[in-house]
Amino acid sequence: MSDPPGSPERDLEQAREALDRGEMHHAAGHLAGAIAQAPTRPEAHELLSRLAARADGALELFPLDQPAFVGTVVARAHLLAAAGRPEDGLPLLAAASGHTPGMNWAGVPWVRDPGLGVRMEPGLLARIVMQLCSAVGDPAPEAGRDALQPYLTVARHAIAVHPDHPLLLGAGSALARRVGETALAVDWAERGAQARPSKLAEIWLGYAYRAAGRIGESLAALRRAVAHDPDDLSVYADIAGTLADQGRLQDALDWVDRALTRDPEYDCAVHTGHRLRYRADGDLAHLVRLADFIRDHPDDTHEHTDLADCCAGTPWLSRVPSAPGAPVDPDRRPPGTARPPATAVERLHRVAQPLWPHPPAAYDAAVPLLLVSPDDLLALVTHPPDAPDTETARVLAGVDPTLWDRCARVWACLGLLHHGTDEPWADSTRRRLLLDLALDGTDRITEAALFALITNAWIDPSARADVAALVTRRLHDVRDGASPIAWSVAQLALATPDLPTSTRDLAGAVLVQAASRLRRARRRPVRRRLLRWLARG
């Protein structure tokens, strides 16, 4: 489905004019545009009825092309309902809700009519609801829950007629849970499990209990699901996640290991296991191994966020950290270095930001900078352009005046990683350029180049020993804490794959020392004011 342009008022006006001229296809196109933007607007539905009356139902005016326009899909659903086929229209509305869950596609009288739930085959309705649930998130965002209530209404009406249909009860429970109707979700899931015990019924029941905070009953239901089907390893991962949320990490890891014993490459168990092991001991190696698994298994069963969740908020794993205390010393700007051209600045502005999900994602996000030559990227490093006139840039300036310049350099250095990727790392041009930047002095250019080198170590295991040795060397250079970027180099070290334990310990000590220096610096003005006051006394 594609998204709508224009405004509903203009589309309605043009639809009326086209209908008055007898231009049915034009009228249908504008009506679809209006409905896509204002799906419950009475004027749109009135005009759709007029069109249907003049065009023998008008279904042929709203074909389900590929890709289908969402307004066309929804208009066809309403025409099917008007033609006495609401059971054929509801799946189309559900598809639209899966495309844009926050839009109130189903907030119309024919969906709320109890007769729809009565006439629909319960198995079909259950499948429609399950497909909808898979698209809207668990739980659904608060802002979009009202738009999903009409489907819950249909489920209520259908369950009143089919009170013991296990699939409908389970699917209805899943939808009720997503929109915050927890008590209803538990009731329907319990009834479904009683009507026909099965793995799926126990999973729905376990999720409903978990949403209601009944963790013991949730775990019991999920264990019964495992007993029904010991080969469904996704349930093992769900049990592990539930146990971890209760602080029972060892029990959670036991379930992960049970799954991995059956299939060492089962993606849900691998992701959950690395996340929980990192949570247990904070060892970066778990995240690096997870990143390696993601790279080597691009066709996982579904999207996982474990790596991003673990990296979130951590300096350099997910963001450029703000400089503590006074601004960092001025950076190197070699005499005669050319300034970057406007095209390079524009491309940098498109990608540069202080946040990323994790280092491999930052590498991927820098791909567009392949269109900027290495010379121009070096010019961006030495002469970072002014920040773009955006809200994000204004927020950055308020948080830390140095942050934009540092972001710009970071992304320019990431761009260098995308040049000459066919060259083996050890003798590559990209390594040489970044090494020159990382080794010549200690300033914000140093940290930007170090981060790019570290990012390459995340994505290329063959570069890890080399990068770890370089980071160790640079950390020893600033270990006394006098360098203005000692704190940053230490944080970069803690984000480096395969770093020796001794270097990791040194990085922790440097951070402690830098924090102590900062506290002393902040106390000095207070002491001076106190001494002046005492002297006056």
Side-chain angles (χ1 to χ4, degrees):
M1 297 187 188
S2 54
D3 295 321
S7 71
E9 292 81 8
R10 180 61 177 157
D11 272 321
L12 285 172
E13 178 185 350
Q14 291 178 321
R16 289 190 192 95
E17 294 172 354
L19 186 59
D20 290 342
R21 295 192 302 268
E23 298 174 355
M24 300 304 179
H25 284 281
H26 286 162
H30 289 297
L31 256 179
I35 288 173
Q37 298 163 87
T40 61
R41 190 160 179 160
E43 303 96 305
H45 289 271
E46 178 185 353
L47 202 55
L48 188 62
S49 297
R50 285 178 54 196
L51 180 64
R54 291 186 58 180
D56 192 23
L59 278 175
E60 75 283 355
L61 297 177
F62 298 92
L64 297 182
D65 298 326
Q66 295 295 330
F69 174 50
V70 66
T72 300
V73 173
V74 174
R76 185 179 180 89
H78 295 317
L79 290 174
L80 286 168
R85 298 163 55 190
E87 66 276 12
D88 294 332
L90 188 66
L92 299 182
L93 289 188
S97 292
H99 171 256
T100 318
M103 289 289 283
N104 190 16
W105 303 113
V108 290
W110 68 266
V111 176
R112 296 190 294 267
D113 186 344
L116 178 59
V118 171
R119 70 186 293 165
M120 286 204 73
E121 195 278 315
L124 172 61
L125 178 57
R127 289 190 291 274
I128 292 170
V129 171
M130 285 190 285
Q131 290 169 354
L132 177 62
C133 287
S134 68
V136 301
D138 186 9
E142 286 277 356
R145 292 184 181 182
D146 286 347
L148 300 174
Q149 283 291 339
Y151 301 103
L152 191 61
T153 298
V154 178
R156 288 180 190 272
H157 293 152
I159 288 172
V161 180
H162 307 281
D164 298 317
H165 194 283
L167 195 63
L168 181 58
L169 286 163
S173 172
L175 179 58
R177 186 178 76 246
R178 281 166 168 77
V179 299
E181 298 274 1
T182 307
L184 182 61
V186 169
D187 177 47
W188 283 350
E190 287 177 337
R191 288 165 56 184
Q194 290 166 3
R196 185 183 301 167
S198 67
K199 177 189 73 172
L200 193 54
E202 295 293 357
I203 289 174
W204 276 323
L205 182 57
Y207 290 168
Y209 280 145
R210 186 169 64 187
R214 297 162 62 173
I215 302 303
E217 292 165 288
S218 172
L219 290 168
L222 293 174
R223 290 188 183 104
R224 291 193 297 271
V226 171
H228 279 286
D229 182 4
D231 292 326
D232 186 348
L233 302 185
S234 65
V235 185
Y236 293 60
D238 286 334
I239 293 174
T242 302
L243 288 166
D245 289 342
Q246 301 305 304
R248 298 168 58 182
L249 284 183
Q250 189 53 56
D251 290 340
L253 286 169
D254 288 344
W255 277 93
V256 168
D257 289 339
R258 288 174 64 178
L260 293 174
T261 297
R262 288 178 171 269
D263 182 356
E265 295 195 345
Y266 178 64
D267 57 331
C268 289
V270 172
H271 282 257
T272 301
H274 285 307
R275 172 171 57 85
L276 296 184
R277 295 184 210 283
Y278 177 73
R279 180 174 163 184
D281 61 21
D283 189 343
L284 187 75
H286 301 305
L287 303 189
V288 175
R289 285 197 283 270
L290 178 53
D292 290 345
F293 180 86
I294 294 170
R295 183 188 62 251
D296 296 338
H297 297 78
D299 299 322
D300 280 354
T301 57
H302 61 90
E303 183 180 358
H304 297 275
T305 63
D306 299 83
L307 181 57
D309 292 343
C310 291
C311 291
T314 304
W316 296 114
L317 290 183
S318 69
R319 63 182 176 89
V320 178
S322 294
V328 178
D329 286 349
D331 303 304
R332 291 163 271 150
R333 284 191 174 143
T337 304
R339 291 189 172 273
T343 54
V345 171
E346 180 185 359
R347 290 196 170 102
L348 183 75
H349 279 168
R350 290 176 188 168
V351 301
Q353 54 183 315
L355 303 173
W356 47 82
H358 44 73
Y363 175 83
D364 291 342
V367 167
L369 295 177
L370 177 62
L371 299 175
V372 180
S373 72
D375 285 344
D376 288 344
L377 288 169
L378 291 173
L380 289 168
V381 171
T382 54
H383 296 284
D386 291 339
D389 185 17
T390 64
E391 181 62 27
T392 299
R394 288 188 286 273
V395 170
L396 292 186
V399 171
D400 177 356
T402 72
L403 198 50
W404 163 253
D405 278 5
R406 295 170 60 224
C407 285
R409 289 187 167 96
V410 161
W411 287 92
C413 287
L414 287 173
L416 289 171
L417 286 178
H418 290 280
H419 287 271
T421 54
D422 56 331
E423 301 173 348
W425 171 249
D427 300 316
S428 64
T429 302
R430 62 192 189 283
R431 178 184 182 275
R432 176 180 57 78
L433 293 175
L434 288 169
L435 220 59
D436 289 346
L437 296 173
L439 294 177
D440 184 13
T442 53
D443 56 15
R444 287 176 286 193
I445 293 177
T446 307
E447 68 172 11
L450 283 175
F451 177 68
L453 289 162
I454 291 166
T455 298
N456 194 68
W458 275 80
I459 64 169
D460 180 5
S462 70
R464 286 175 186 166
D466 175 48
V467 172
L470 171 65
V471 171
T472 298
R473 173 181 170 184
R474 292 270 61 191
L475 183 62
H476 278 276
D477 291 341
V478 300
R479 64 181 301 172
D480 64 357
S483 167
I485 64 162
W487 59 277
S488 185
V489 175
Q491 289 173 327
L492 283 160
L494 295 178
T496 303
D498 291 2
L499 198 71
T501 301
S502 58
T503 307
R504 199 167 295 280
D505 292 342
L506 175 60
V510 170
L511 285 175
V512 170
Q513 186 180 45
S516 176
R517 286 174 177 268
L518 179 61
R519 285 194 298 271
R520 290 197 300 271
R522 287 172 174 169
R523 285 199 297 267
R524 285 189 194 110
V526 177
R527 289 173 178 165
R528 284 195 292 269
R529 288 196 300 271
L530 178 60
L531 290 172
R532 285 197 298 269
W533 181 81
L534 291 172
R536 286 198 303 270

